[in-house]
Structures are given as C-alpha cells and as structure tokens.
Amino acid sequence: GILEWNKAYRKLGFAGAIKVDQQPDDPDFDPENIHYNTFRWMTADAGFAMGPSRVDPRTGQILDADIIFDASFLDSWNQRWETFRSDDVAALTPNWSPYDETLLNGGSLPLGHRHSTACSYCFEMQRQTGFAAAVFMASGVSATGELPKEFVHEGLKEVVMHEVGHTLGLRHNFKASTWKPLEEINNPESGKAEGTIASVMDYAPANLMVDPKEQGLYYSQTIGPYDYWAIEYGYKPISSKEDEELEKIASRAGEPQLAYGTDEDTRSFDPDPYSNRFDLGQDPLAYVKRQIETTSKLLPEVVDKTVKDGEGYQKARQAFNLLFNEYHRALGFAARFPGGVSVSRHHKGDENAKPPFEVIDAETQRDAMKLVTETAFSPPPIDGESLNYLAVSRWSHWGTRDPIRLDVPVHDDVLSLQESLLSQTLSSMTLDRILDNEFKVPDDKDAYTLAEHLDMIVNSIFSEWQAPVEGNVSNRKPAIDSFRRNLQRAAVRRLCAIVTHGSGSPYDAQTLVRMHLRKLQEQAEKKLDGGTPLDAYSRAHLADSLARIEQALNADVSLPIVN
C-alpha cells in the first residue's frame, strides 16, 4: 500500500521515490526523530488511522510525516456495532460530522481547526466491515461472519494508500467515486489495472455483490488518475516558468476522472449530491437502488443464515441491525438530490470547464424523490414474526451500552430513520434551494419546483386519506397501518411547524404547506363524517391529526408586552 504511490513518481522520472524499511531492533531508535517517516501499527483497540505531516510554514515543504494505524478496525465491527441501533440518526445522515451541528446552530469551528486535518476514514470503516460481515453471513458466503481474507487484505491496502496520500500532501476527494459506473467497477481486470475509483483519497464503501459471480474488487487496489494528477502538480520537477507549467497541469481539472470535492464541499447540508462519503459509482441513485435490493433480499434470510443449531440468536440481531440501517443510510443519498446543485472548482478557460454551480437535472431530482417516497415512506421490508428471534447481546465492554429494551423496538427504529429523511427533504435549506433553483433554470427548460416537491411528499405520505377504504377493515387489519400512522403523525408535526413557526422556510413553502394542511383537513373530515367504515386505530389517528391541523391553521401569534 505504501509503495503503490511509486507509480505516480515513476511517471515524473523518480525511480523508487518511496522506500520502506523495517524499524531496526535498537532501543535507542526514536520514531519521533524527524529524520524518519514512520508507519506504526498500533493495538490501541480504538479503530483509527491517521496520516499527518509537518510542513515548513514558509514554503509548504513537507518535512516529516508519521502514520499511526490501529489494528482493531479489522475486527472492531464485533465490538463497536454489537449493540448498534438505528436511534443514532446522526451517524446515518450522509456526510454528517459533529462540526455540521455546530455550524447549523450558528456556532463556529474550534480555533485552529482545519478540514484537511480531520480524517475519520478508518474509524468509519468499522461500519463497512460490519455491514460486509452481515452480507457475507446472510448470503451464505461466511456462516460465522468471518471476513474473507481477500476482503481484509483489500480493505487494509486501500486505507494504507489513503493515509499515505495524506502524508504526501493530498486532501480528501469525495467525488472520486463517481468516475465509473457500477458495472465497470465490478470488472476485475480494469479494477486491478487502473483502480475502481479515481482517487484513494475518497471514502469508499465496500463493493459488495450478493451473487459471488458478479463480485469484482471489494476495494480499489491502486492509486487512480486523480492521484497521478495531484502528485504531478505537487512534485513534478520544473526548470523554468513554473507558474505556466503548473497552470497547464491544473487546467485539466475539467476532465471527468479528475472531478474533485473535499471536506468543506461535503458537509451534511452542502448541495452537491455527487460529493459523498461512502457512496459508489457514477450514478449515486443506482448505488442506492443496489443497496436497497441487497438489504431487502437478505433481511428475510438473517435468522436462517446467521444462526446454527446450538447457538444463540445474537448474531442474527447484529446482522439485522446492520442490514436494516444500511437500507435507510443509502436512501439518505437519494434525499440529497431534491434542490441539489453540482459544485465545481474549474477555472475560466479550462477545457471542459463547468460553471461553479449547476442545478441538478429536474428528472433526476424527481427520480430521487420518488425512490424515497416509494421505499422509506412505505412499511419496512420486515417480517414481524422474525423479530422474535433477534436476541440481544449480553456482551459488555467499554464503548458499548446496554439496550433499554431487550426486544426490538421496531416502530421507534423505523420512525427515527423516516424522520431523518423527513428532516432532509423538508429542511429549510432544501426548500430554499428548490425555490432558488427554479429561478436559475432557463424558462425553456424543465425545472423541479417547490410546489411539485411538496405535492410528492404529502401525496405519498397521506395516500390513505385520499383513497377510498378497500375491503373489510378491523383493528388487526387497519385502514392505515401502524408504521404509516407514525409517519403521518411525524409529517403533520413538521408541516404544522412550518406554518406556525416558519422554521426558516421560504414564505412560498409556508403558504403551500398551509394549502396542503387545508386539503388534509377536508380529507380527514370526509373520512370521519362520511360514513366510511374505519377501525379504532385509524379513526382515532385521523381525529387526533385533524385536531392538530386545526390548531395550526387557527393559531394566534402572541407578542411580548414591551413597557
């Protein structure tokens, strides 16, 4: 993994630019000595890797670089995710970090914080290894959940290349995974020759196929075209006219394989849906669909495939949680498309240069929102009876927590994930961007509108309010099932908050939501008063929702008395 970077230097005329030696068996050897750049394999049981470097502030020259690499990321899925549940919504929100919450709440980053020094790749790889173990168990590849050696070796090498890239001066590139379509990523020949992603400086998820015959590389095994380009810019010997030569190299930025988006372009609230941590492929929506298909296919197999006769059911619980959470984590990428804006850093005059901002194609935004409404807002792909076999783990260790409920709190888990997607699609920033994008799109081109966006959300979530009740209903077979009732209650709360508090949303959104609430009011009244046979659950739910809607529509504004 370290020596892989020699390929980029060889193109510049340096043979063996990077050399690796074992640390000498000498008690006086000091890895902090600036004469040595060290790679230290640690056993801190913390699941991290870091590749920092120290530079001369006058010139930018890298003087010293040391990498620390904790071995436990290879098996930490069993420890960190043992009791993982879906109530950790922040961890499932695409590109979320603790700094995002600080900035959204009006705060500022800590003094001295730099995006370029924050790398959580190895730490987040724990989720990837955990999800991979669940896939291998549920698909029958590994009965025990043990990771195949090829997977471990490929993942290890990929992370090593990533951290070495940092010590050489490279920053994250979260657009590198959009280089190839998924079909090409699974081509083992081209993957070995040129890599599966354009840069090892991305955070790449495990490339997992349910059918072993379709499986390509799990992780990229060589540096990509962006890495060659960045090393050329930073290290190419230039005898004269340095500015002109560097400008010539940089002018290639418009080439598709050199697409770039880094940390400050890839926060949870940033607009570019193609710049993500842990997505894969040229079309993020195709990746989302693949993850949904994979998890939906494997969830029913969890109990049979992960538990042998004579064993407890704890592994089934672990695998279920990891698969179920991946189903919703992937949908978070789709929820970034409505109101999306592609961001580029190209310069005027670069070949194939794009403008700094491009509104995402209207049809792509519609497809993404349709994917969210048809999957995340529908009842979950779970067999309720199978939840009785998901035993909680009794394993206790620092960094884990005892669950409050021993059984699976399925309604709470589903709702928390659905609310995360509601937060994305109804956030004031998303609604603002959709409205702004309407103005940015030429009049003769199709645009995804704010009115259309709210129509899709309301019509999909409240479809039972609009359609006639079919068949005989009862408390065991309600007209509106329990998961949909929870979702509708959450949506009513959010819609009412937009009307009563504004929530920072554009005024057009507030007026449109008020219109939708009036329609919902009429539909609920018709269902309750029109003689429609309803079960107790659905009738109580509609009556309660109607009362909340009427309160919001009739709310008064109270102003403080100023003396």
Side-chain angles (χ1 to χ4, degrees):
I2 301 172
L3 294 173
E4 196 69 25
W5 285 95
N6 273 332
K7 293 179 178 179
Y9 290 100
R10 195 176 300 125
K11 279 196 167 188
L12 304 179
F14 299 108
I18 298 176
K19 181 183 177 182
V20 180
D21 290 320
Q22 290 287 352
Q23 176 179 323
D25 187 12
D26 180 355
D28 294 327
F29 179 84
D30 183 4
E32 300 299 334
N33 189 325
I34 198 171
H35 292 94
Y36 305 103
N37 303 308
T38 58
F39 187 111
R40 280 181 279 178
W41 182 272
M42 305 173 65
T43 52
D45 196 26
F48 66 87
M50 292 191 294
S53 57
R54 281 155 291 280
V55 303
D56 185 333
R58 300 166 299 179
T59 64
Q61 180 186 7
I62 298 175
L63 303 175
D64 177 47
D66 297 287
I67 296 171
I68 52 176
F69 199 103
D70 183 43
S72 65
F73 99 90
L74 296 174
D75 61 1
S76 58
W77 79 274
N78 188 50
Q79 299 171 17
R80 178 162 173 76
W81 308 119
E82 176 100 3
T83 58
F84 180 77
R85 280 184 49 217
S86 55
D87 55 3
D88 187 9
V89 174
L92 296 174
T93 301
N95 309 313
W96 185 90
S97 77
Y99 297 113
D100 294 8
E101 188 170 356
T102 300
L103 292 172
L104 284 171
N105 290 330
S108 58
L109 293 178
L111 185 64
H113 170 78
R114 294 181 295 142
H115 285 289
S116 58
T117 63
C119 181
S120 58
Y121 188 24
C122 196
F123 183 76
E124 287 298 324
M125 279 280 283
Q126 296 171 36
R127 185 189 300 277
Q128 295 301 314
T129 54
F131 174 66
V135 170
F136 290 137
M137 281 192 290
S139 61
V141 173
S142 172
T144 62
E146 183 177 353
L147 300 170
K149 287 185 178 179
E150 295 83 2
F151 178 91
V152 173
H153 293 166
E154 290 179 17
L156 177 60
K157 182 179 179 182
E158 213 277 346
V159 175
V160 169
M161 290 189 293
H162 180 97
E163 300 303 338
V164 173
H166 279 314
T167 67
L168 297 175
L170 275 66
R171 294 195 60 190
H172 291 137
N173 181 3
F174 297 125
K175 274 195 171 184
S177 56
T178 61
W179 178 31
K180 293 182 175 182
L182 290 173
E183 298 77 17
E184 196 173 337
I185 286 174
N186 276 311
N187 183 322
E189 286 75 23
S190 66
K192 291 176 182 177
E194 60 187 15
T196 58
I197 57 178
S199 173
V200 294
M201 304 312 297
D202 202 337
Y203 287 6
N207 175 40
L208 297 169
M209 303 297 294
V210 175
D211 186 352
K213 296 177 183 177
E214 299 177 3
Q215 182 66 57
L217 292 175
Y218 296 113
Y219 291 99
S220 195
Q221 293 299 283
T222 187
I223 59 176
Y226 172 86
D227 301 319
Y228 283 97
W229 182 54
I231 292 297
E232 179 185 9
Y233 187 90
Y235 291 89
K236 182 178 181 179
I238 300 172
S239 57
S240 63
K241 296 183 179 180
E242 184 179 73
D243 290 348
E244 291 182 13
E245 185 63 27
L246 290 176
E247 187 176 337
K248 181 180 177 182
I249 295 170
S251 67
R252 296 178 52 207
E255 297 177 14
Q257 71 272 23
L258 305 181
Y260 176 73
T262 192
D263 295 74
E264 58 266 29
D265 306 316
T266 317
R267 299 164 296 181
S268 63
F269 50 86
D270 281 325
D272 193 339
Y274 292 98
S275 188
N276 292 304
R277 296 167 176 85
F278 294 107
D279 69 337
L280 191 64
Q282 202 171 75
D283 179 5
L285 293 181
Y287 173 70
V288 172
K289 291 174 184 176
R290 192 181 82 173
Q291 296 302 93
I292 290 172
E293 183 180 344
T294 296
T295 52
S296 297
K297 183 176 181 179
L298 295 180
L299 277 169
E301 306 292 327
V302 161
V303 175
D304 290 339
K305 293 292 180 66
T306 62
V307 182
K308 297 179 181 178
D309 289 346
E311 293 181 341
Y313 290 93
Q314 287 77 17
K315 280 186 178 179
R317 176 74 164 260
Q318 297 166 16
F320 174 88
N321 283 343
L322 287 158
L323 291 169
F324 181 65
N325 285 308
E326 178 62 20
Y327 178 93
H328 286 84
R329 186 193 76 89
L331 282 164
F333 294 124
R336 297 195 69 214
F337 277 87
V341 177
S342 178
V343 179
S344 300
R345 297 192 181 200
H346 304 159
H347 289 185
K348 185 178 181 180
D350 290 348
E351 188 174 353
N352 302 316
K354 296 179 179 179
F357 305 108
E358 283 185 305
V359 175
I360 299 299
D361 175 72
E363 199 57 39
T364 303
Q365 294 184 63
R366 287 189 194 102
D367 289 344
M369 199 61 217
K370 185 178 179 182
L371 184 59
V372 171
T373 58
E374 291 182 352
T375 50
F377 294 164
S378 298
I382 301 172
D383 171 32
E385 188 177 355
S386 68
L387 300 181
N388 294 320
Y389 293 90
L390 304 183
V392 68
S393 172
R394 309 291 180 169
W395 186 78
S396 181
H397 191 268
W398 75 271
T400 65
R401 56 183 175 176
D402 293 328
I404 296 174
R405 281 182 55 175
L406 300 182
D407 57 331
V408 178
V410 61
H411 283 89
D412 290 346
D413 286 355
V414 171
L415 181 59
S416 66
L417 292 164
Q418 289 176 329
E419 286 195 306
S420 175
L421 292 167
L422 278 176
S423 293
Q424 283 185 258
T425 54
L426 287 175
S427 76
S428 59
M429 200 172 292
T430 296
L431 301 179
D432 265 327
R433 283 197 181 114
I434 294 174
L435 186 61
D436 289 341
N437 286 349
E438 290 184 43
F439 180 70
K440 297 173 187 176
V441 174
D443 292 340
D444 59 346
K445 288 190 177 181
D446 185 20
Y448 183 75
T449 67
L450 183 59
E452 178 183 0
H453 180 69
L454 292 170
D455 277 346
M456 290 185 72
I457 292 176
V458 173
N459 291 339
S460 64
I461 293 177
F462 298 94
S463 58
E464 295 93 340
W465 296 29
Q466 302 160 3
V469 176
E470 296 181 359
N472 296 324
V473 297
S474 66
N475 292 337
R476 285 290 289 148
K477 292 185 178 181
I480 308 173
D481 72 40
S482 55
F483 294 102
R484 294 281 289 176
R485 294 196 299 269
N486 272 349
L487 174 62
Q488 289 170 9
R489 275 189 283 267
V492 165
R493 285 196 299 271
R494 290 181 181 275
L495 295 174
C496 288
I498 291 175
V499 167
T500 57
H501 295 82
S503 304
S505 302
Y507 203 81
D508 274 334
Q510 297 175 43
T511 58
L512 287 167
V513 168
R514 181 177 288 276
M515 177 186 71
H516 280 292
L517 287 176
R518 291 201 181 281
K519 287 182 180 178
L520 291 173
Q521 180 186 34
E522 295 170 2
Q523 292 163 358
E525 289 174 343
K526 184 176 180 181
K527 276 278 194 296
L528 290 169
D529 301 333
T532 304
L534 287 172
D535 55 279
Y537 285 119
S538 300
R539 182 170 291 278
H541 166 64
L542 287 170
D544 179 71
S545 299
L546 179 59
R548 293 177 184 274
I549 291 171
E550 289 174 342
Q551 283 180 332
L553 293 175
N554 299 322
D556 294 325
V557 177
S558 297
L559 298 176
I561 299 175
V562 179
N563 294 327

